[in-house]
Amino acid sequence: MADKARGPRPPRVEAPRDEAADIGIEARIAAGILLNAALEGRGGLDSALTFREVASLEGPDRAFARAVAMAALRRLGEIDQILDRRLNKAPPLAVRTILRIALAQTLVLETPAFAAVSTAVKLAERDPKTRPYKNLVNAVLRGVGRDGPGLTTAESNLPDWLAARWKATWGEQGLIALALAAREEPPTDLSLKPGTDAAALVAELDGEVLPGGTVRTGRRGDVAGWPGFEEGGWWVQDAAAAVPARLLAPKAGESVIDLCAAPGGKTLQLAASGATVVALDRSENRLKRLHANLERTGLSAEVVALPAEDWEDDRTFDAVLLDAPCTATGTFRRNPEVLRATKPADVAKLADVQHRLLDVAAGRVKPGGRLVYCVCSMEREEGETQIIAFLRRNPAFRTAPAIPGEIGAPDEALTPEGWLRILPSMWTEKGGVDGFFVARLDRVS
């Protein structure tokens, strides 16, 4: 399986400063840095995007490096299965990184084998630590190209502890479906500001309109140049992430608060309804994106940079949205690094946070008002178990059953209790969705 070596900074293949860079070599170096940074822990990949070796690349090379790293992350278990069959003993991590990056190119991104092998060997030659292994790199990659990768299992791309949990919850076939979803790069989903011409946007982006109104396109990359961006007609938001605000159903003139609001897609939905919106989040830095999108779209909200439990304002609201901090295991299609970064202890730790925030949120709901709780987690402790416990200690609240078709959720996501358990293995014919748990709770008047 994957090499678990760790260090203070992700291992990398260094490029000598006095040697002219080979075409494509620097992008492969950056890909290795991003891959190892992602394996270091949560947030590692985002931090590595600012490293000189990555940030200094031209736009297309930087995009290529990220695409290679993401492909390697999505198929890491399978890539390591292939490598372990051809390696008599584990090589240094720097060598394994070169091999992983090369196989991600040839087996996932369909890079011509001769190009991937050639650059991999050059990478090995450039670093004194990996130079003794250049013949091994060449032999392994040429062997895979000659004989084929052999059989691999999609489940191997999931950490063992998560695979065991998901199998226990959704069965063998459910686990396989989730593992297959984890292999795929997702499309781009857009939420539209009222008044935006969906049909025109679909035509320009070669997309489609999903149930609920989300526009989905296979186009990827920098969205700033896409039609309607500068005019503020839409924002990027996964189709599943758009469901909670629709279930909350804010109306013009109502008072609404979005607790834990950053990065702000749901706040924009609430503001677009005409409601008076307060957006609260503990991270001033993460709120910068919300401020930028509010300005771009011309929408308005009162933005407060404070933890929900520390906000001393005594206002209550017609509608409260709590998108609670969570393990984010449901976002593995877009963020495959979360599967490696999340540890078993994180589930219980975050469940305690969610418990406290739910009680804070309940205190903000007016009599007759409503609360929507959601997490982009696959773990029952962060979803179903939270709501069961909440309803026991808050008898003034009742479940308001969701109607999936009205809010753009897969029909099969509806639970017997009336909640939504959206899985990334749903809507595969449409390109899939992120994993979410969503529940609406109405306060008795």
Side-chain angles (χ1 to χ4, degrees), residues 138-442:
N138 184 64
V140 168
L141 295 178
R142 290 192 181 279
V144 174
R146 180 184 64 248
D147 304 330
L151 293 177
T152 60
T153 57
E155 302 95 291
S156 68
N157 299 316
L158 308 176
D160 291 343
W161 72 275
L162 269 179
R165 287 174 66 93
W166 294 354
K167 182 178 178 180
T169 303
W170 291 292
E172 180 73 28
Q173 293 306 308
L175 170 64
I176 292 172
L178 290 170
L180 291 173
R183 281 176 163 180
E184 303 302 322
E185 183 180 4
T188 304
D189 292 344
L190 310 176
S191 289
L192 274 56
K193 181 180 173 181
T196 300
D197 189 336
L201 189 62
V202 163
E204 290 181 291
L205 295 178
D206 191 23
E208 63 173 322
V209 179
L210 299 179
T214 292
V215 169
R216 169 163 289 181
T217 175
R219 185 184 293 193
R220 300 179 179 90
D222 184 5
V223 301
W226 293 9
F229 178 84
E230 289 188 0
E231 295 79 6
W234 50 262
W235 55 93
V236 176
Q237 185 179 32
D238 187 85
V243 167
R246 295 189 192 126
L247 183 58
L248 189 64
K251 301 177 183 64
E254 286 190 321
S255 60
V256 183
I257 186 167
D258 184 3
L259 301 170
C260 311
K266 298 175 184 65
T267 299
L268 296 173
Q269 288 180 276
L270 302 176
S273 72
T276 301
V277 179
V278 174
L280 198 68
D281 197 276
R282 68 171 55 243
S283 172
E284 190 166 354
N285 188 54
R286 295 184 72 230
L287 284 171
K288 290 178 182 178
R289 182 174 168 188
L290 173 56
H291 282 293
N293 274 324
L294 286 171
E295 182 176 357
R296 181 176 62 84
T297 59
L299 297 171
S300 62
E302 178 187 347
V303 181
V304 181
L306 275 176
E309 54 268 47
D310 293 346
W311 194 46
E312 296 181 354
D313 192 300
D314 60 1
R315 277 178 283 177
T316 55
F317 298 83
D318 298 305
V320 175
L321 176 62
L322 173 58
D323 182 3
C326 68
T327 55
T329 50
T331 68
F332 61 67
R333 296 158 61 251
R334 299 185 190 282
N335 306 298
E337 66 274 17
V338 303
L339 297 179
R340 305 284 169 177
T342 303
K343 308 303 178 188
D346 295 339
V347 178
K349 179 180 176 182
L350 285 161
D352 286 341
V353 174
Q354 294 148 8
H355 176 111
R356 294 197 306 270
L357 286 173
L358 264 168
D359 286 343
V360 170
R364 294 288 178 182
V365 183
K366 290 180 179 179
R370 56 206 183 273
L371 163 66
V372 164
Y373 171 79
C374 66
V375 285
C376 55
S377 167
M378 303 279 287
E379 315 317 311
R380 288 185 59 86
E381 296 93 325
E382 301 182 78
E384 292 88 342
T385 302
Q386 287 291 345
I387 298 305
I388 291 169
F390 174 84
L391 291 172
R392 285 175 180 165
R393 65 181 186 270
N394 290 278
F397 285 84
R398 303 282 187 275
T399 293
I403 304 175
E406 293 184 358
I407 55 175
D411 290 336
E412 62 268 38
L414 186 65
T415 72
E417 299 86 355
W419 310 325
L420 294 171
R421 170 53 77 181
I422 304 173
L423 300 178
S425 50
M426 295 175 179
W427 273 0
T428 53
E429 73 284 359
K430 302 178 187 296
V433 285
D434 281 353
F436 260 85
F437 174 83
V438 191
R440 174 170 154 173
L441 309 166
D442 289 355

Side-chain angles (χ1 to χ4, degrees), residues 114-131:
F114 72 87
V117 174
S118 174
T119 52
V121 172
K122 288 178 181 178
L123 279 174
E125 287 177 336
R126 288 165 68 115
D127 187 340
K129 295 182 223 174
T130 57
R131 193 171 298 142

